[in-house]
Amino acid sequence: MKTIEEINQKIKDGDAVVVTAGEMTRIVQENGAGEAAKEVDVVTTGTFGAMCSSGAFFNFGHSDPPIKMSRTYLNGVEAYSGMAAVDAYLGAAQPHRNPDIGLDYGGAHLLEDLVRGKEVELVAEAFGTDCYPRTDVHTFISLESLNQAIMVNPRNCYQNYAVATNSTEETLYTYLGTLLPQMGNVSYSSAGELSPLLNDPYFQTIGVGTRIFLCGGQGYIMGEGTQHSTEGERKNGVPTGSAGTLMLQGDLKKMDSDYLRGATMPKYGPTLYVGAGIPIPILNEEIAQSTGISDQDITCKIYDYGVPRRSRPVIRETNYQELRTGKIEINGREVPTSALSSFKKALEIAEELKNWIEKGDFLLTNPVKKIPSEGCTVAPLMIKRPSIMVKDIKIKPVITVMAEEAISGVARKMVDNNINHLPVVDHSGRLMGIVTSWDIAHAVAKGCKKLTEVMTKKVIVALEDDPVEVIARRIDKNEISGVPIVDRENLVKGMITAEDISRLMCSQNNKEGDSQ
Amino acid sequence: MKAWLKFSPRIVSKPVISDLIKDYDVTFNILRADITPKGGKMLIEISGSEAEEGIKYMEKEGIQLNPIKKVVKKDEDKCMDCGECYSLCPVEAITVDEKWNVELDDQKCIGCGFCTSSCPTKAIKIAY
Ligand code: SF4
Ligand code: SF4
């Protein structure tokens, strides 16, 4: 048994034994946790990953005459200034106000620019008061000229995280990166055995007030992060899913762009790569055992992100040792795996923190308060107006055509029924393709005789139990006007068009209007 | 050798490439092609005992040939070695070494652009 005070004395004397979490894993494997606890004083962890839930508070100082900012933009990215006159909070995931720039430059990029010492444009608007008469500001600021620039990240350092793949036919762009169709790749995000909260899975040493490495400077843990949860499944003592989180703060002025990067997940949005490292004092054998966790012992689950719902199907379980080999087997096929967070940087961070402690520049802290290790669950957002499912909406009786029907007959069917698309089916009513009036015009112009030559074979469909919102997004994304509805057997049940959806929205709004 | 071939509209319809493969001992691989009636360009890889002669033949037929050394370029300052691009590369041109550095092999790259559009820091650019 050791105390933090004893370890700090050793650090001051230059006698502390500090190892990274990766080194500790090998030590525990070789010598056992009992020996490791005697030998090692501090284990350093590290992670460098995309953490959207990050940002910073700024204080700009008062102008003359003064202003009470109500809308604030930094390099065109809006910061929230509904606080005192010249304070603002800039969120990392906020896109640029100009839709043409949009996701390519957001809050995260602005934070990196500031840390790199660049000047940024400050534009602010106000309504003007007796004490704050100025109504606009347009100037340039830099990190140095700000009174305070304090990073405050509501949710960082997820204990573990979901792994993603995509079973659909189209490429998906998600917060876990680009997911190729037909499970073409697998993307994961945790730093595994180096990850801070996997080395102290019950928050025995990491608590409120713990001093940490944050983006190259010293930061502090403010408490548990938002969505902190403790009740999920565990294996080998560690959660198999996201579980615990931390709220962090640190002085942006002391940070280093090596450990803080603005990034954009393609077609998803800006996000900040945050480098965090937490020291774990080895107070006893149990803590030594926890920090001995290896990539192989950390289970995680591969989910199908092709299902855009809150509960996505699990494809299989795996662990970080397997993921780190760069390939994994799914349904008998070898699939390449990518990390979204940098293991190299995570290692650098653990090494850097180790360095600081060895040099005596960084002392450990006793937590002011424990972070809850039980009793926390995350409730979903209940939408009072439930999602309307495809099967709930009234659709016109389905008109289909058979693959062998003549083009002229198909054209007549379209005109008679005043419709622009027709699903093409086989004899048992299973979907084979779709044909539009445009295809028919094309067929006539080119002299095609067969429907199968002009129809589109790869059809985007709606399932009966898909929520209508999901279909609206699908129609919009593919720039089409409607999709056939099929059941699990691929039997055609109807068509749903953009028009049907807008009609539905109108009637919903009317209904609400009536009841008010 | 890898090269961009530029076709003028006049030669798009001529069977230059098929004659090349018929008449010369070359291995010819089309990595990317973008050809319209208004002309176009093609990224190719050519090798074999008569590659030199084959290149001369194409030039004689009016194809402009720009050899390239680099298909993609990775900005090492921007790259964070996350590895996101690794699983997207269809030809295994991106590798991760034992120190977790992410590396790009230009010899293997076919310039598909998957990695360039997906890199979170836009560290990879296709070099034309
Ligand atoms: S995705 Fe970009 S930042 Fe990540 S390793 Fe590849 S090139 Fe580097
Ligand atoms: S451009 Fe395509 S082929 Fe070249 S490295 Fe990137 S993903 Fe691989």
Side-chain angles (χ1 to χ4, degrees):
Chain A
M1 285 287 270
K2 279 175 255 179
T3 64
I4 291 195
E5 288 70 23
E6 283 162 11
I7 295 176
N8 276 342
Q9 192 53 51
K10 280 186 161 182
I11 294 174
K12 285 180 201 155
D13 297 342
D15 296 333
V17 177
V18 190
V19 302
T20 65
E23 292 163 343
M24 186 63 166
T25 303
R26 315 288 97 81
I27 294 172
V28 172
Q29 275 166 0
E30 277 161 30
N31 308 341
E35 274 304 304
K38 281 190 211 133
E39 200 183 309
V40 176
D41 299 309
V42 187
V43 166
T44 59
T45 61
T47 180
F48 185 79
M51 306 190 198
C52 292
S53 188
S54 300
F57 282 101
F58 301 125
N59 179 277
F60 302 109
H62 284 289
S63 57
D64 185 28
I67 182 170
K68 177 173 173 289
M69 299 172 179
S70 56
R71 277 184 173 266
T72 308
Y73 302 90
L74 288 158
N75 273 359
V77 182
E78 182 161 17
Y80 178 73
S81 46
M83 295 165 284
V86 288
D87 284 339
Y89 181 80
L90 180 89
Q94 179 75 31
H96 198 274
R97 73 198 286 196
N98 175 350
D100 289 339
I101 303 173
L103 309 181
D104 287 337
Y105 188 96
H109 301 87
L110 187 273
L111 290 172
E112 180 182 334
D113 279 350
L114 279 174
V115 169
R116 284 187 186 277
K118 293 190 186 159
E119 280 217 316
V120 305
E121 184 190 42
L122 167 67
V123 173
E125 297 158 12
F127 45 79
T129 70
D130 287 346
C131 46
Y132 293 116
R134 187 188 275 272
T135 55
D136 64 73
V137 159
H138 188 173
T139 183
F140 288 86
I141 57 150
S142 66
L143 193 55
E144 211 183 323
S145 71
L146 288 163
N147 289 320
Q148 279 83 23
I150 303 165
M151 174 181 274
V152 174
N153 302 342
R155 181 169 68 253
N156 279 181
C157 299
Y158 259 121
Q159 204 156 13
N160 195 348
Y161 212 72
V163 181
T165 190
N166 162 25
S167 69
T168 69
E169 295 296 319
E170 41 182 332
T171 301
L172 295 178
Y173 300 91
T174 71
Y175 54 82
L176 278 170
T178 303
L179 300 175
L180 300 175
Q182 299 181 350
M183 304 203 197
N185 67 341
V186 163
S187 177
Y188 65 100
S189 161
S190 172
E193 65 185 28
L194 284 183
S195 186
L197 298 188
L198 287 170
N199 281 280
D200 185 4
Y202 289 98
F203 302 91
Q204 285 176 290
T205 70
I206 298 176
V208 178
T210 299
R211 185 184 294 130
I212 61 168
F213 173 109
L214 186 58
C215 303
Q218 295 189 6
Y220 295 88
I221 295 174
M222 299 169 73
E224 70 268 32
T226 54
Q227 273 178 39
H228 179 74
S229 95
T230 55
E231 303 301 280
E233 181 196 21
R234 284 179 188 251
K235 279 196 178 161
N236 301 320
V238 296
T240 60
S242 41
T245 70
L246 295 176
M247 191 177 288
L248 306 180
Q249 73 115 313
D251 186 352
L252 204 67
K253 294 188 180 211
K254 303 263 165 58
M255 291 182 184
D256 179 344
S257 58
D258 266 356
Y259 304 108
L260 169 148
R261 289 294 178 84
T264 298
M265 287 301 148
K267 300 191 193 179
Y268 175 76
T271 184
L272 190 69
Y273 271 75
V274 172
I278 302 182
I280 297 173
I282 305 302
L283 304 176
N284 54 44
E285 186 176 331
E286 195 190 343
I287 296 171
Q289 187 66 53
S290 300
T291 53
I293 190 112
S294 70
D295 277 341
Q296 193 181 5
D297 299 331
I298 307 167
T299 304
C300 49
K301 290 176 183 172
I302 307 179
Y303 292 88
D304 182 2
Y305 275 58
V307 178
R309 304 290 291 272
R310 201 169 61 89
S311 63
R312 302 185 160 99
V314 176
I315 301 295
R316 58 162 284 193
E317 260 186 25
T318 177
N319 62 58
Y320 289 99
Q321 187 184 48
E322 194 173 22
L323 286 169
R324 253 182 237 301
T325 62
K327 46 188 184 287
I328 191 170
E329 202 183 291
I330 295 184
N331 302 335
R333 214 159 43 89
E334 207 171 71
V335 178
T337 61
S338 267
L340 201 62
S341 70
S342 172
F343 196 67
K344 185 183 165 200
K345 289 257 181 207
L347 265 171
E348 266 174 43
I349 289 166
E351 287 287 350
E352 183 69 10
L353 180 56
K354 173 177 155 179
N355 219 345
W356 288 358
I357 300 172
E358 281 175 341
K359 283 200 309 208
D361 294 343
F362 186 108
L363 292 177
L364 307 191
T365 46
N366 266 307
V368 177
K369 181 179 166 240
K370 268 192 69 117
I371 285 175
S373 59
E374 56 180 25
C376 297
T377 52
V378 178
L381 173 64
M382 284 304 169
I383 299 190
K384 293 285 165 52
R385 194 163 96 175
S387 281
I388 301 168
M389 300 296 172
V390 168
K391 62 171 176 281
D392 299 333
I393 64 172
K394 230 187 283 150
I395 24 179
K396 289 175 231 134
V398 53
I399 300 160
T400 56
V401 287
M402 297 288 216
E404 60 271 17
E405 270 180 59
I407 298 279
S408 55
V410 177
R412 197 162 320 114
K413 246 186 194 169
M414 283 185 171
V415 174
D416 289 351
N417 294 289
N418 189 24
I419 44 179
N420 288 317
H421 344 63
L422 280 173
V424 182
V425 295
D426 67 9
H427 283 277
S428 47
R430 282 200 175 83
L431 185 67
M432 292 176 70
I434 191 160
V435 60
T436 64
S437 44
W438 165 250
D439 295 330
I440 297 297
H442 216 64
V444 173
K446 277 198 172 158
C448 288
K449 290 271 167 341
K450 275 195 167 152
L451 198 52
T452 45
E453 276 170 25
V454 292
M455 73 182 188
T456 304
K457 295 198 183 81
K458 221 178 113 186
V459 194
I460 297 157
V461 296
L463 289 176
E464 288 175 299
D465 45 11
D466 278 334
V468 172
E469 290 105 299
V470 172
I471 302 309
R473 163 100 187 121
R474 200 172 288 164
I475 286 176
D476 189 45
K477 188 175 165 194
N478 292 288
E479 294 176 352
I480 50 180
S481 50
V483 296
I485 303 165
V486 295
D487 66 7
R488 299 266 163 207
E489 249 78 76
N490 207 22
L491 292 169
V492 177
K493 296 287 172 181
M495 277 295 288
I496 176 166
T497 63
E499 245 174 87
D500 293 331
I501 295 175
S502 47
R503 207 173 304 122
L504 177 82
M505 298 296 161
C506 288
S507 68
Q508 280 281 313
N509 291 343
N510 286 346
K511 243 190 257 162
E512 272 180 18
D514 290 348
S515 63
Q516 267 163 19
Chain B
M1 173 182 100
K2 280 190 190 138
W4 279 106
L5 304 186
K6 287 222 179 90
F7 295 79
S8 63
R10 194 175 51 80
I11 44 173
V12 162
S13 50
K14 283 216 293 187
V16 183
I17 303 294
S18 59
D19 287 350
L20 169 81
I21 295 167
K22 242 184 1 223
D23 299 344
Y24 295 88
D25 175 30
V26 293
T27 312
F28 189 89
N29 211 350
I30 301 174
L31 305 176
R32 275 164 73 101
D34 178 17
I35 294 180
T36 65
K38 291 200 193 86
K41 56 183 183 176
M42 203 189 249
L43 179 66
I44 57 123
E45 187 166 17
I46 185 167
S47 58
S49 67
E50 291 184 322
E52 292 284 319
E53 290 83 348
I55 290 168
K56 286 210 186 87
Y57 165 73
M58 285 190 286
E59 284 179 326
K60 193 183 95 221
E61 289 298 315
I63 297 178
Q64 238 190 67
L65 190 132
N66 303 318
I68 49 164
K69 290 190 196 69
K70 281 210 168 298
V71 183
V72 280
K73 240 184 120 152
K74 182 150 83 71
D75 182 333
E76 297 302 335
D77 285 339
K78 281 194 180 162
C79 174
M80 315 176 281
D81 296 284
C82 65
E84 151 74 354
C85 50
Y86 165 82
S87 71
L88 298 172
C89 180
V91 293
E92 295 180 16
I94 302 174
T95 49
V96 181
D97 74 7
E98 73 285 356
K99 289 200 164 139
W100 306 99
N101 290 305
V102 174
E103 278 162 7
L104 241 156
D105 181 351
D106 242 321
Q107 289 308 304
K108 284 192 185 159
C109 172
I110 55 167
C112 72
F114 280 170
C115 63
T116 55
S117 62
S118 294
C119 169
T121 57
K122 302 204 167 52
I124 312 178
K125 294 260 178 314
I126 296 206
Y128 286 93

